[in-house]
Amino acid sequence: MMINVTAPVPSPAKKDKKLHIMTWGCQMNVYDSAKMADLLSPLGFGLSDDAEGADLVILNTCHIREKASEKIFSELGRLHKQQKEANAAGPKMIGVAGCVAQAEGEQILARAPYVDMVFGPQTYHRLPEMVAKAMRAKGGQIGGGVIDTDFPAESKFDHLPAQTAGQGPSAFLSVQEGCDKFCTFCVVPYTRGAEYSRPVNAILAEAQRLIDSGAKEISLLGQNVNAYHGIADDGSTWGLGQLIAAVATLNVERIRYTTSHPRDMDDALIAAHRDIPQLMPFMHLPVQSGSNIMLEAMNRKHTRDDYMRIIEKTRAASPDIAFSSDFIVGFPNESDKDFESTLQLIRDVNFAQAYSFKYSERPGTPAANMAGQIPEDVKTARLAALQELLFAQQRSFNEGFIGQTIPVLFDRHGKLDGQLLGRTPHMQSLYVQNGKDMFGQTAHVKIEKVTTNSLEGVIV
Ligand code: SAH
Ligand code: SF4
Ligand code: F3S
């Protein structure tokens, strides 16, 4: 996934330098990219949605699967080629941020020595210093990039600017970062570092600023967002359910959260789905596999039954809730029987949507060294079978809305005048043709057509 971040609200400061950020990976990276733009704004960098002629291009990268990492080097090669061309279309400086930077910092500079800065997810608050250093090096024609991939003792969140450019009607707010769970397939604990929860007050203040700059919906983010345990002013520790209740007292229409882990699901969060009207009826709860043998080997520390109990409890508290999940096929030693257990879990839950991946060997993770790696053609066949089932469920979930009228928050412009895109309460993507002047508003939409991936309707 590549998302180009642009600033929806113009800032009055003089912007004589052009900044372009390319973002891959999860929502936390999208949030970080917006913060990088905020940090560089006082230095005169204005966001641009194309790379041509940029003073600085930042690649905010993802290391989660092999394909995601490899894309970075081809993108770097492309940018460098532009740099060398005579028409000066290439960027003056290139920075590599995010999880590939964290995991492969030295290798990036060895393989792409023209890169000016390499910095990780926990150090980008030092970006203004890094940019100044890199600019000085450039001026003196000194080779070799600036590298900063520490895990500093202080939290970056204490150093991010309070003033932000705004994120539009639907805004992301990181409340928790990092992971201590060490699933055997996953790089996140190594690239993002240890689990950390931001204090309650800082989150509520940022939520208020987002609302003041036009946010109607706030998505609370974390690698394990429901492991949130932030300190409140009175010294007590709050969980995610409590935090959501506090955010709901602000003038916000919609609240979401992602990604939660089955191990951290508690009754307070489930009750929030029953009690807090702004909390959307949608839960993304990755399970990865339906086989207890695989779950154990993955170090997920929960069973298939634990997962099913959460689903049942949540449905009892909030009957119209929709579930989403992540699946990995072809984890080492996955047998046909294990795979069949995953298909059966999908049939038992009935998902509204899901993400599914072939297992990808990641350097430094325990699963990469396990015997019993699954051949590529088996992974491909299993993924196809899994997706056939998931897409059928998604389509039939969507078809259930034909003829219904539902509230939609419009947060993206379509190509044509009047075309708007938005999200339903259940996180479906929806578009209308008669959306003139409705950007940033919630409107009631009568659903006329559906596909697997989206709904179409008219504002009534
Ligand atoms: N913290 C979240 C997920 C973060 S990563 C959780 O624990 O659920 C997002 C998804 O990427 C994971 O849920 C998993 O399905 C997938 N993923 C992570 N590592 C992977 C790997 N090595 N190969 C394939 N998919 C992977
Ligand atoms: Fe990765 Fe597991 Fe942590 Fe999720 S819980 S980020 S899958 S190690
Ligand atoms: Fe990717 Fe890092 Fe997010 S590896 S999924 S960008 S935490």
Side-chain angles (χ1 to χ4, degrees):
M1 172 176 36
M2 182 168 125
I3 304 148
N4 290 307
V5 178
T6 49
V9 181
S11 152
K14 186 164 166 275
K15 302 285 192 308
D16 52 3
K17 294 186 209 72
K18 198 169 147 181
L19 168 68
H20 178 70
I21 307 182
M22 296 177 204
T23 308
W24 290 265
C26 60
Q27 286 101 329
M28 325 232 20
N29 260 14
V30 177
Y31 175 87
D32 291 344
S33 289
K35 291 290 169 194
M36 288 176 206
D38 293 335
L39 280 158
L40 291 175
S41 164
L43 274 70
F45 283 94
L47 261 183
S48 158
D49 47 17
D50 71 289
E52 207 178 304
D55 292 276
L56 172 61
V57 170
I58 296 176
L59 278 61
N60 195 7
T61 63
C62 175
H63 200 238
I64 201 84
R65 284 170 292 275
E66 191 180 359
K67 273 196 188 142
S69 290
E70 271 308 310
K71 273 193 206 129
I72 306 313
F73 287 99
S74 63
E75 191 59 40
L76 282 174
R78 203 182 62 82
L79 290 170
H80 186 51
K81 192 162 163 270
Q82 287 177 1
Q83 275 186 330
K84 289 188 296 190
E85 280 161 7
N87 62 11
K92 293 201 182 72
M93 290 195 293
I94 300 174
V96 181
C99 292
V100 178
Q102 189 63 45
E104 298 180 4
E106 303 288 344
Q107 289 108 291
I108 292 169
L109 286 183
R111 218 168 131 178
Y114 49 86
V115 167
D116 299 282
M117 288 171 282
V118 175
F119 51 97
Q122 304 307 340
T123 53
Y124 69 77
H125 57 286
R126 302 176 188 155
L127 199 47
E129 286 163 64
M130 280 183 250
V131 170
K133 255 192 218 165
M135 278 163 79
R136 278 201 300 277
K138 254 306 165 322
Q141 297 297 309
I142 301 165
V146 178
I147 181 160
D148 189 353
T149 51
D150 275 6
F151 286 116
E154 87 276 9
S155 162
K156 71 181 174 210
F157 292 110
D158 297 332
H159 301 274
L160 295 178
Q163 279 314 317
T164 56
Q167 296 183 38
S170 180
F172 289 151
L173 204 177
S174 287
V175 304
Q176 180 277 340
E177 268 235 351
C179 182
D180 299 336
K181 293 204 164 54
F182 293 93
C183 299
T184 50
F185 52 80
C186 183
V187 294
V188 171
Y190 314 98
T191 62
R192 291 268 166 178
E195 220 177 277
Y196 168 79
S197 295
R198 295 176 72 183
V200 169
N201 235 342
I203 293 166
L204 296 179
E206 187 166 326
Q208 186 60 56
R209 286 197 298 274
L210 290 169
I211 293 164
D212 293 344
S213 66
K216 301 281 169 66
E217 171 177 277
I218 293 183
S219 297
L220 307 176
L221 306 181
Q223 259 88 27
N224 291 284
V225 71
N226 58 336
Y228 178 79
H229 56 279
I231 301 289
D233 269 358
D234 63 2
S236 62
T237 301
W238 287 22
L240 186 64
Q242 239 178 323
L243 183 69
I244 289 170
V247 173
T249 64
L250 308 176
N251 185 20
V252 64
E253 281 180 28
R254 294 181 166 199
I255 303 171
R256 301 184 188 274
Y257 61 92
T258 203
T259 293
S260 32
H261 192 290
R263 285 257 300 163
D264 296 312
M265 198 46 78
D266 64 9
D267 290 343
L269 183 53
I270 292 173
H273 278 284
R274 181 191 61 211
D275 300 334
I276 299 173
Q278 297 111 305
L279 184 58
M280 291 293 104
F282 181 81
M283 187 186 281
H284 179 62
L285 192 64
V287 65
Q288 318 299 353
S289 170
S291 151
N292 283 336
I293 300 166
M294 290 295 106
L295 290 171
E296 167 101 46
M298 290 174 169
N299 193 31
R300 292 290 289 181
K301 297 204 173 78
H302 67 79
T303 62
R304 173 202 177 94
D305 280 356
D306 295 333
Y307 188 83
M308 292 308 297
R309 260 196 302 277
I310 296 168
I311 301 284
E312 279 158 28
K313 259 183 156 175
T314 311
R315 280 201 168 123
S318 171
D320 82 328
I321 197 155
F323 290 99
S324 158
S325 197
D326 292 343
F327 296 91
I328 295 177
V329 298
F331 186 81
N333 301 305
E334 184 187 60
S335 66
D336 287 338
K337 189 160 166 257
D338 294 319
F339 178 62
E340 176 51 42
S341 304
T342 302
L343 294 178
Q344 192 53 46
L345 179 136
I346 295 170
R347 290 182 205 110
D348 291 346
V349 175
N350 197 6
F351 290 96
Q353 61 174 67
Y355 300 89
S356 44
F357 314 99
K358 289 184 208 173
Y359 167 68
S360 171
E361 273 171 57
R362 304 311 291 128
T365 59
N369 299 323
M370 286 178 186
Q373 300 289 331
I374 302 294
E376 192 60 24
D377 58 333
V378 176
K379 289 184 191 172
T380 303
R382 285 183 186 162
L383 186 67
L386 185 94
Q387 291 188 337
E388 191 182 308
L389 177 57
L390 286 168
F391 291 160
Q393 291 190 344
Q394 188 171 347
R395 183 162 185 121
S396 96
F397 180 73
N398 289 348
E399 279 167 353
F401 289 87
I402 292 176
Q404 283 193 38
T405 298
I406 49 178
V408 175
L409 172 62
F410 291 103
D411 60 353
R412 282 160 296 156
H413 289 283
K415 283 197 186 82
L416 303 173
D417 193 36
Q419 238 179 34
L420 282 182
L421 290 96
R423 295 268 176 199
T424 70
H426 295 103
M427 200 64 187
Q428 296 137 300
S429 189
L430 177 144
Y431 76 99
V432 296
Q433 312 278 3
N434 68 335
K436 213 169 163 49
D437 303 325
M438 290 307 290
F439 180 79
Q441 313 285 317
T442 300
H444 280 86
V445 175
K446 182 155 195 237
I447 310 304
E448 293 183 329
K449 271 195 257 172
V450 307
T451 65
T452 305
N453 291 313
S454 69
L455 313 184
E456 184 183 349
V458 284
I459 297 178
V460 293

mmCIF file of all heavy atoms in Angstrom, residues 4-26:
data_model
loop_
_atom_site.group_PDB
_atom_site.id
_atom_site.type_symbol
_atom_site.label_atom_id
_atom_site.label_comp_id
_atom_site.label_asym_id
_atom_site.label_seq_id
_atom_site.Cartn_x
_atom_site.Cartn_y
_atom_site.Cartn_z
ATOM 1 N N ASN A 4 0.118 8.722 -0.500
ATOM 2 C CA ASN A 4 0.828 10.000 -0.531
ATOM 3 C C ASN A 4 0.140 10.968 0.418
ATOM 4 O O ASN A 4 -1.043 11.234 0.302
ATOM 5 C CB ASN A 4 0.840 10.573 -1.951
ATOM 6 C CG ASN A 4 1.740 9.743 -2.835
ATOM 7 O OD1 ASN A 4 2.902 9.518 -2.506
ATOM 8 N ND2 ASN A 4 1.197 9.260 -3.926
ATOM 9 N N VAL A 5 0.908 11.474 1.380
ATOM 10 C CA VAL A 5 0.319 12.352 2.382
ATOM 11 C C VAL A 5 0.426 13.795 1.908
ATOM 12 O O VAL A 5 1.495 14.260 1.570
ATOM 13 C CB VAL A 5 1.069 12.194 3.719
ATOM 14 C CG1 VAL A 5 0.508 13.134 4.755
ATOM 15 C CG2 VAL A 5 0.987 10.766 4.193
ATOM 16 N N THR A 6 -0.695 14.475 1.881
ATOM 17 C CA THR A 6 -0.653 15.896 1.544
ATOM 18 C C THR A 6 -1.336 16.682 2.653
ATOM 19 O O THR A 6 -2.169 16.163 3.364
ATOM 20 C CB THR A 6 -1.392 16.182 0.223
ATOM 21 O OG1 THR A 6 -2.654 15.564 0.290
ATOM 22 C CG2 THR A 6 -0.623 15.666 -0.966
ATOM 23 N N ALA A 7 -0.973 17.938 2.787
ATOM 24 C CA ALA A 7 -1.539 18.757 3.860
ATOM 25 C C ALA A 7 -2.868 19.331 3.429
ATOM 26 O O ALA A 7 -2.940 20.060 2.447
ATOM 27 C CB ALA A 7 -0.576 19.890 4.201
ATOM 28 N N PRO A 8 -3.970 18.991 4.106
ATOM 29 C CA PRO A 8 -5.263 19.525 3.706
ATOM 30 C C PRO A 8 -5.462 20.990 4.112
ATOM 31 O O PRO A 8 -6.246 21.686 3.508
ATOM 32 C CB PRO A 8 -6.280 18.631 4.407
ATOM 33 C CG PRO A 8 -5.530 17.831 5.413
ATOM 34 C CD PRO A 8 -4.072 18.045 5.218
ATOM 35 N N VAL A 9 -4.760 21.452 5.149
ATOM 36 C CA VAL A 9 -4.949 22.820 5.619
ATOM 37 C C VAL A 9 -3.672 23.617 5.354
ATOM 38 O O VAL A 9 -2.611 23.251 5.831
ATOM 39 C CB VAL A 9 -5.249 22.835 7.136
ATOM 40 C CG1 VAL A 9 -5.481 24.254 7.625
ATOM 41 C CG2 VAL A 9 -6.446 21.965 7.447
ATOM 42 N N PRO A 10 -3.762 24.705 4.578
ATOM 43 C CA PRO A 10 -2.548 25.482 4.321
ATOM 44 C C PRO A 10 -2.084 26.208 5.576
ATOM 45 O O PRO A 10 -2.894 26.632 6.395
ATOM 46 C CB PRO A 10 -2.976 26.478 3.243
ATOM 47 C CG PRO A 10 -4.460 26.469 3.240
ATOM 48 C CD PRO A 10 -4.945 25.273 3.961
ATOM 49 N N SER A 11 -0.791 26.299 5.750
ATOM 50 C CA SER A 11 -0.258 26.970 6.929
ATOM 51 C C SER A 11 0.304 28.328 6.487
ATOM 52 O O SER A 11 0.810 28.469 5.385
ATOM 53 C CB SER A 11 0.820 26.091 7.539
ATOM 54 O OG SER A 11 1.753 26.872 8.214
ATOM 55 N N PRO A 12 0.194 29.352 7.334
ATOM 56 C CA PRO A 12 0.595 30.687 6.921
ATOM 57 C C PRO A 12 2.120 30.873 6.761
ATOM 58 O O PRO A 12 2.550 31.760 6.042
ATOM 59 C CB PRO A 12 0.062 31.577 8.057
ATOM 60 C CG PRO A 12 -0.124 30.662 9.229
ATOM 61 C CD PRO A 12 -0.367 29.305 8.683
ATOM 62 N N ALA A 13 2.943 30.011 7.433
ATOM 63 C CA ALA A 13 4.388 30.209 7.360
ATOM 64 C C ALA A 13 4.904 30.082 5.925
ATOM 65 O O ALA A 13 4.356 29.334 5.129
ATOM 66 C CB ALA A 13 5.090 29.190 8.246
ATOM 67 N N LYS A 14 5.980 30.790 5.609
ATOM 68 C CA LYS A 14 6.511 30.780 4.246
ATOM 69 C C LYS A 14 7.160 29.437 3.950
ATOM 70 O O LYS A 14 8.027 28.979 4.670
ATOM 71 C CB LYS A 14 7.530 31.914 4.102
ATOM 72 C CG LYS A 14 8.028 32.081 2.694
ATOM 73 C CD LYS A 14 8.721 33.433 2.529
ATOM 74 C CE LYS A 14 9.505 33.461 1.231
ATOM 75 N NZ LYS A 14 10.845 32.883 1.356
ATOM 76 N N LYS A 15 6.705 28.799 2.868
ATOM 77 C CA LYS A 15 7.227 27.484 2.529
ATOM 78 C C LYS A 15 7.984 27.602 1.221
ATOM 79 O O LYS A 15 7.398 27.562 0.150
ATOM 80 C CB LYS A 15 6.076 26.475 2.382
ATOM 81 C CG LYS A 15 5.197 26.334 3.609
ATOM 82 C CD LYS A 15 5.908 25.532 4.673
ATOM 83 C CE LYS A 15 5.015 25.109 5.796
ATOM 84 N NZ LYS A 15 4.235 26.145 6.433
ATOM 85 N N ASP A 16 9.316 27.761 1.327
ATOM 86 C CA ASP A 16 10.072 27.915 0.089
ATOM 87 C C ASP A 16 10.751 26.620 -0.339
ATOM 88 O O ASP A 16 11.461 26.574 -1.322
ATOM 89 C CB ASP A 16 11.085 29.058 0.225
ATOM 90 C CG ASP A 16 11.963 28.905 1.455
ATOM 91 O OD1 ASP A 16 11.817 27.882 2.163
ATOM 92 O OD2 ASP A 16 12.782 29.791 1.712
ATOM 93 N N LYS A 17 10.542 25.542 0.448
ATOM 94 C CA LYS A 17 11.138 24.252 0.067
ATOM 95 C C LYS A 17 10.034 23.205 -0.088
ATOM 96 O O LYS A 17 9.056 23.213 0.633
ATOM 97 C CB LYS A 17 12.129 23.792 1.141
ATOM 98 C CG LYS A 17 13.351 24.690 1.269
ATOM 99 C CD LYS A 17 14.340 24.074 2.240
ATOM 100 C CE LYS A 17 15.185 25.110 2.941
ATOM 101 N NZ LYS A 17 14.446 25.896 3.954
ATOM 102 N N LYS A 18 10.287 22.314 -1.028
ATOM 103 C CA LYS A 18 9.262 21.330 -1.367
ATOM 104 C C LYS A 18 9.583 19.966 -0.746
ATOM 105 O O LYS A 18 10.668 19.433 -0.946
ATOM 106 C CB LYS A 18 9.226 21.239 -2.898
ATOM 107 C CG LYS A 18 7.995 20.620 -3.461
ATOM 108 C CD LYS A 18 7.973 20.841 -4.983
ATOM 109 C CE LYS A 18 7.316 19.659 -5.648
ATOM 110 N NZ LYS A 18 7.263 19.781 -7.102
ATOM 111 N N LEU A 19 8.614 19.445 -0.013
ATOM 112 C CA LEU A 19 8.763 18.148 0.656
ATOM 113 C C LEU A 19 7.742 17.159 0.089
ATOM 114 O O LEU A 19 6.566 17.484 -0.045
ATOM 115 C CB LEU A 19 8.508 18.318 2.164
ATOM 116 C CG LEU A 19 8.338 17.058 3.014
ATOM 117 C CD1 LEU A 19 9.640 16.271 3.105
ATOM 118 C CD2 LEU A 19 7.850 17.424 4.421
ATOM 119 N N HIS A 20 8.224 15.964 -0.231
ATOM 120 C CA HIS A 20 7.305 14.914 -0.692
ATOM 121 C C HIS A 20 7.542 13.671 0.159
ATOM 122 O O HIS A 20 8.686 13.270 0.350
ATOM 123 C CB HIS A 20 7.552 14.612 -2.173
ATOM 124 C CG HIS A 20 6.688 13.523 -2.705
ATOM 125 N ND1 HIS A 20 5.327 13.667 -2.893
ATOM 126 C CD2 HIS A 20 6.979 12.249 -3.072
ATOM 127 C CE1 HIS A 20 4.826 12.538 -3.363
ATOM 128 N NE2 HIS A 20 5.801 11.657 -3.476
ATOM 129 N N ILE A 21 6.469 13.096 0.684
ATOM 130 C CA ILE A 21 6.610 11.896 1.524
ATOM 131 C C ILE A 21 5.836 10.747 0.906
ATOM 132 O O ILE A 21 4.652 10.907 0.569
ATOM 133 C CB ILE A 21 6.097 12.146 2.966
ATOM 134 C CG1 ILE A 21 6.760 13.389 3.566
ATOM 135 C CG2 ILE A 21 6.370 10.925 3.845
ATOM 136 C CD1 ILE A 21 6.339 13.683 5.010
ATOM 137 N N MET A 22 6.500 9.612 0.753
ATOM 138 C CA MET A 22 5.812 8.397 0.291
ATOM 139 C C MET A 22 5.694 7.458 1.477
ATOM 140 O O MET A 22 6.670 7.217 2.178
ATOM 141 C CB MET A 22 6.630 7.687 -0.785
ATOM 142 C CG MET A 22 6.795 8.485 -2.040
ATOM 143 S SD MET A 22 7.860 7.554 -3.157
ATOM 144 C CE MET A 22 8.468 8.900 -4.130
ATOM 145 N N THR A 23 4.497 6.927 1.679
ATOM 146 C CA THR A 23 4.248 6.129 2.873
ATOM 147 C C THR A 23 3.781 4.731 2.517
ATOM 148 O O THR A 23 2.830 4.573 1.758
ATOM 149 C CB THR A 23 3.177 6.815 3.739
ATOM 150 O OG1 THR A 23 3.568 8.169 3.950
ATOM 151 C CG2 THR A 23 3.038 6.128 5.091
ATOM 152 N N TRP A 24 4.436 3.739 3.076
ATOM 153 C CA TRP A 24 4.023 2.342 2.952
ATOM 154 C C TRP A 24 3.653 1.818 4.340
ATOM 155 O O TRP A 24 4.047 2.402 5.343
ATOM 156 C CB TRP A 24 5.166 1.476 2.411
ATOM 157 C CG TRP A 24 5.513 1.704 0.985
ATOM 158 C CD1 TRP A 24 5.054 1.004 -0.093
ATOM 159 C CD2 TRP A 24 6.431 2.685 0.455
ATOM 160 N NE1 TRP A 24 5.617 1.488 -1.247
ATOM 161 C CE2 TRP A 24 6.457 2.506 -0.941
ATOM 162 C CE3 TRP A 24 7.216 3.696 1.006
ATOM 163 C CZ2 TRP A 24 7.245 3.291 -1.791
ATOM 164 C CZ3 TRP A 24 7.998 4.477 0.176
ATOM 165 C CH2 TRP A 24 8.001 4.278 -1.213
ATOM 166 N N GLY A 25 2.962 0.684 4.365
ATOM 167 C CA GLY A 25 2.778 -0.005 5.642
ATOM 168 C C GLY A 25 1.510 0.369 6.359
ATOM 169 O O GLY A 25 0.502 0.694 5.744
ATOM 170 N N CYS A 26 1.581 0.346 7.689
ATOM 171 C CA CYS A 26 0.371 0.451 8.505
ATOM 172 C C CYS A 26 -0.015 1.907 8.771
ATOM 173 O O CYS A 26 0.720 2.832 8.437
ATOM 174 C CB CYS A 26 0.580 -0.293 9.820
ATOM 175 S SG CYS A 26 1.959 0.352 10.787
#
